[in-house]
Amino acid sequence: MPGTKEIRSKIASVKSTQKITKAMEMVAASKMRRAQERMRMARPFAAASRRVITHLNQANPDYRHPFMVERPAKAIGAIVVSTDRGLCGALNANTFKTTLQLARQSQRAGASVSLCVLGNKGLGFFRRLDYPILASTTGLGDRPHVADLIGAVKVMLDAYRDGRLDRLVLVHAQFVNTMTQRPRTLQLLPIEANPEVEAGLPEHWDYIYEPSAAEILDALLIRYLESQVYQGMVENVACEMAARMVAMKAASDNAGELITELQLVYNKARQAAITKELAEIVGGAAAV
């Protein structure tokens, strides 16, 4: 059995760790509320823009934007959203697992895979693998801005325009509730048709564009894609804070249980030491 001094040192160390995890839990809880507010504010615009683009995709215009044209998927591009920091449970691991499954399925179908990685953890993970990384952005923090994402997104859109990519998907963590965050895969390009919207539309119809369909669609589709990536980023931040809060609460609870166990061991060791000293005193007195 270890000595009482060693056990006291372990108890003090675990208590110090417990204070840190408890503080991180409280910070994550505070940030999670703000992250959820930003997520809820971004969702209506992302949903409305998706409906508009879906309507445009069902039209029959004289000009067909390249982002709306379906072509054989020989090269897949994936924008992967991760966190800059760890200590958030299996959040990043689940996103990476989903991305690797997508990549393996694409490779089995004969398609190559290229990545755009957002977040330091994702960049560190995929750098160790054989997948080419066309663009990356790190240090986005707890309050990402669209301007921080434009550069990386533009690289992937240019690759799609040039024909180096035939399909572009977004992989990020989707916020369900505080205890549940699940990975989500969303196809960005080409724009997918929505059968529900198509069922309620005339067979042949189109919008009237001013000044021209090319100019409007080019600007509108880029804003749409940026909004979808931004929505995925703020969703991922909310998931990060929720996962970190839950992970730090579990760590604090485990530290409390460990302290209780160590305290019990310490009491037993102390009692054994006292009993031994008494036995030695009694034995010495009897010898005299």
Side-chain angles (χ1 to χ4, degrees):
M1 183 178 292
T4 56
K5 183 177 180 181
E6 182 182 351
I7 298 173
R8 282 201 307 269
S9 176
K10 287 183 179 179
I11 292 174
S13 176
V14 174
K15 283 184 177 179
S16 177
T17 302
Q18 187 184 38
K19 289 180 182 178
I20 295 173
T21 56
K22 191 66 177 176
M24 293 181 69
E25 176 192 348
M26 296 173 66
V27 171
S30 175
K31 290 184 176 181
M32 183 186 69
R33 286 190 288 270
R34 293 194 292 268
Q36 286 178 340
E37 291 176 3
R38 288 192 293 272
M39 177 189 67
R40 293 191 186 100
M41 292 173 64
R43 275 181 174 176
F45 179 81
S49 63
R50 193 179 300 115
R51 285 195 301 270
V52 170
I53 296 303
T54 302
H55 276 274
L56 289 173
N57 193 41
Q58 306 301 331
N60 298 274
D62 295 333
Y63 169 75
R64 194 72 175 170
H65 197 278
F67 290 171
M68 296 179 173
V69 178
E70 185 80 24
R71 57 198 188 202
K74 299 179 180 179
I76 309 296
I79 301 176
V80 185
V81 182
S82 66
T83 66
D84 284 320
R85 295 178 296 168
L87 298 176
C88 51
L91 181 70
N92 288 318
N94 291 335
T95 301
F96 300 159
K97 182 180 178 181
T98 301
T99 304
L100 292 177
Q101 289 175 347
L102 172 67
R104 294 189 185 105
Q105 290 174 0
S106 300
Q107 288 176 332
R108 283 196 293 267
S112 62
V113 178
S114 302
L115 302 177
C116 168
V117 184
L118 306 178
N120 190 50
K121 290 297 179 180
L123 184 61
F125 178 83
F126 287 105
R127 269 179 174 171
R128 299 193 294 268
L129 304 180
D130 296 331
Y131 301 107
I133 300 176
L134 302 183
S136 63
T137 301
T138 60
L140 296 172
D142 303 331
R143 302 187 65 179
H145 297 279
V146 177
D148 301 327
L149 307 172
I150 289 177
V153 174
K154 185 177 185 300
V155 171
M156 303 304 285
L157 297 184
D158 290 344
Y160 189 89
R161 278 198 184 97
D162 297 340
R164 290 181 284 129
L165 295 177
D166 301 311
R167 184 173 297 165
L168 183 62
V169 298
L170 173 67
V171 184
H172 67 92
Q174 184 180 28
F175 186 89
V176 180
N177 53 52
T178 304
M179 300 299 296
T180 306
Q181 304 86 37
R182 61 191 177 199
R184 178 195 184 200
T185 302
L186 173 67
Q187 179 173 318
L188 297 177
L189 295 176
I191 306 297
E192 292 185 293
N194 189 337
E196 296 180 0
V197 174
E198 188 175 6
L201 295 176
E203 184 176 354
H204 298 287
W205 66 280
D206 191 16
Y207 290 98
I208 298 175
Y209 300 95
E210 290 288 345
S212 68
E215 292 181 44
I216 292 177
L217 288 176
D218 192 56
L220 187 61
L221 287 171
I222 290 176
R223 295 296 174 268
Y224 160 72
L225 295 169
E226 291 173 354
S227 72
Q228 297 304 304
V229 177
Y230 176 74
Q231 173 64 27
M233 193 69 206
V234 294
E235 288 250 5
N236 203 81
V237 171
C239 292
E240 175 189 359
M241 296 309 164
R244 181 171 292 120
M245 184 189 71
V246 173
M248 291 301 101
K249 186 180 187 306
S252 300
D253 294 342
N254 292 337
E257 294 176 2
L258 184 57
I259 290 171
T260 301
E261 293 176 2
L262 288 173
Q263 192 69 49
L264 182 61
V265 174
Y266 172 76
N267 292 336
K268 289 181 178 180
R270 184 167 175 270
Q271 186 177 11
I274 293 172
T275 303
K276 183 180 179 182
E277 290 179 3
L278 288 174
E280 288 176 355
I281 292 172
V282 172
V288 173

